[in-house]
Amino acid sequence: LTPIKKVVWHKESEHLIILESNGTLSFLEIDGQLPINKMIISKDVSDFIYDELIDTVYLIKNEILYNFQITDI
């Protein structure tokens, strides 16, 4: 089990965006139904922010800034 470095609620409030201490950024479905689905977005991420107004994640990986909309995953 990898410790969690950062957690942010997605605007729908049934999902979380999680950065683990090993640099794995994931999108986690927590809608109360089993199984809990986890989709890995990227690895080797040092930090991220989520802009819920435009549903976009900005992440830093290898000192480069990337962005994508949640609808893209």
Side-chain angles (χ1 to χ4, degrees), residues 3-7 18-21 45-47:
I4 295 174
K5 183 176 177 182
K6 185 175 184 179
V7 176
I18 298 173
L19 178 60
E20 299 174 33
S21 61
V45 175
S46 56
D47 201 5

Side-chain angles (χ1 to χ4, degrees), residues 15-68:
H15 300 88
L16 296 172
I17 304 166
I18 298 173
L19 178 60
E20 299 174 33
S21 61
N22 65 4
T24 300
L25 185 65
S26 301
F27 190 67
L28 189 69
E29 181 181 56
I30 55 164
D31 60 2
Q33 298 179 12
L34 294 177
I36 294 174
N37 295 312
K38 178 181 176 183
M39 180 185 306
I40 295 175
I41 297 170
S42 187
K43 294 191 176 196
D44 302 319
V45 175
S46 56
D47 201 5
F48 80 97
I49 60 170
Y50 170 62
D51 184 339
E52 73 175 53
L53 294 177
I54 56 175
D55 204 20
T56 299
V57 172
Y58 298 87
L59 64 93
I60 298 172
K61 179 176 178 173
N62 301 321
E63 299 182 14
I64 299 171
L65 179 65
Y66 298 90
N67 73 309
F68 64 91

